Amino acid sequence: MNLILLGPPGAGKGTQSRRLSDNLKVPQISTGDLLRAARGNRTTLGIKAESYMTAGQLVPDNLVTEMIRERLKQADCGHGYILDGFPRTLAQAEALDRMIAAESGKAAQIDRVVNIAVDREEVIQRLSGRRQCRKCTENYHARFHPPKTVGVCDRCGGELFQRDDDREDVIRQRLEVYEKQTQPLIAYYEKMGLLRNVRGTGSIEEIFGAILKAVS
Ligand code: AMP
């Protein structure tokens, strides 16, 4: 099954797609995580992406699309994948359609696009308290979803840190970018008959249940 999770930053795409990945036994592919890893490893891509990421801007389409093209070629994507944070622009969505069509010789085969809806103020609250695990990338929130031990991941024992783009000024910038560049994808996938909307408020388990229903 090939899935896309859409939604503003802080909607819970990472948290939910990791759970979906465990449940459906297909890999979760987060362009944000891949780019942060590239940045950490000081690869050519990581160095090019860094200034965009720190400023809350999108990394240019060609760089991200190439990165995804390489990732989707890997053997673990053979039975499907969950895309988290990609596509984020119409150009990326069209490039993905072309990539899939070239692979299978058929029309684009995205099975479902789940849009997780969360409003602006909730996003700002969530992101400003967010902490992420350096090792397994699980997300926590200092108040709403704290780890059992401060600074330590419940899942793998890794160290938790605050992302440098989770500062209030950068969060506002990322939301603006989302509204201008990513939101149009909702209509794009709706037209293709692939979109399902899920409310992104409530407990992680409740939202996960609604997503499972939407993809089944
Ligand atoms: P995320 O972890 O998904 O919030 O992504 C963090 C940052 O990585 C974004 O603010 C962008 O700078 C960059 N990024 C992630 N995915 C994409 C994408 N599909 N297109 C362009 N930039 C991206």
Side-chain angles (χ1 to χ4, degrees):
M1 183 175 262
N2 300 335
L3 299 176
I4 294 175
L5 290 199
L6 275 185
K13 299 188 296 295
T15 301
Q16 296 297 342
S17 57
R18 259 185 298 279
R19 277 162 182 72
L20 266 180
S21 166
D22 290 343
N23 188 283
L24 302 174
K25 311 276 182 273
V26 294
Q28 170 224 12
I29 301 174
S30 154
T31 41
D33 288 344
L34 291 173
L35 288 167
R36 274 184 291 281
R39 228 172 89 171
N41 294 329
R42 310 305 296 157
T43 66
T44 312
L45 168 66
I47 292 166
K48 281 186 188 160
E50 183 159 36
S51 60
Y52 298 100
M53 295 174 78
T54 315
Q57 297 286 355
L58 293 184
V59 174
D61 287 333
N62 60 329
L63 296 180
V64 181
T65 302
E66 229 10 78
M67 178 178 82
I68 278 286
R69 189 191 307 282
E70 289 307 312
R71 180 64 186 87
L72 294 185
K73 276 187 199 158
Q74 290 175 23
D76 63 338
C77 295
H79 298 294
Y81 43 80
I82 300 161
L83 293 177
D84 158 13
F86 183 92
R88 251 177 160 103
T89 64
L90 277 173
Q92 291 179 16
E94 287 164 1
L96 176 65
D97 289 345
R98 286 194 298 274
M99 248 182 253
I100 296 174
E103 270 301 302
S104 61
K106 292 186 235 138
Q109 278 179 339
I110 294 294
D111 296 296
R112 217 29 117 230
V113 178
V114 179
N115 177 44
I116 309 180
V118 176
D119 70 34
R120 214 168 207 278
E121 285 315 305
E122 170 92 17
V123 162
I124 294 169
Q125 258 201 2
R126 284 187 187 185
L127 292 185
S128 47
R130 178 160 76 174
R131 301 290 180 273
Q132 188 174 43
C133 174
R134 275 195 203 285
K135 233 163 104 185
C136 76
T137 72
E138 180 76 332
N139 287 315
Y140 296 85
H141 189 282
R143 264 186 32 225
F144 308 134
H145 176 43
K148 290 193 185 99
T149 308
V150 177
V152 181
C153 178
D154 294 347
R155 211 172 176 231
C156 76
E159 181 202 354
L160 303 185
F161 75 108
Q162 181 166 32
R163 282 170 44 171
D164 59 4
D165 57 352
D166 280 347
R167 288 195 340 249
E168 193 155 336
D169 53 332
V170 188
I171 293 171
R172 288 188 191 279
Q173 172 61 33
R174 287 162 66 203
L175 272 168
E176 247 173 64
V177 166
Y178 166 77
E179 282 158 13
K180 274 206 196 107
Q181 307 202 55
T182 309
Q183 231 166 15
L185 294 182
I186 296 175
Y188 180 82
Y189 287 118
E190 195 156 37
K191 245 192 201 156
M192 292 169 85
L194 296 176
L195 192 83
R196 296 290 181 275
N197 287 298
V198 165
R199 271 189 51 198
T201 45
S203 71
I204 291 175
E205 288 70 29
E206 279 164 355
I207 301 165
F208 183 58
I211 294 176
L212 272 185
K213 225 167 135 187
V215 304
S216 63

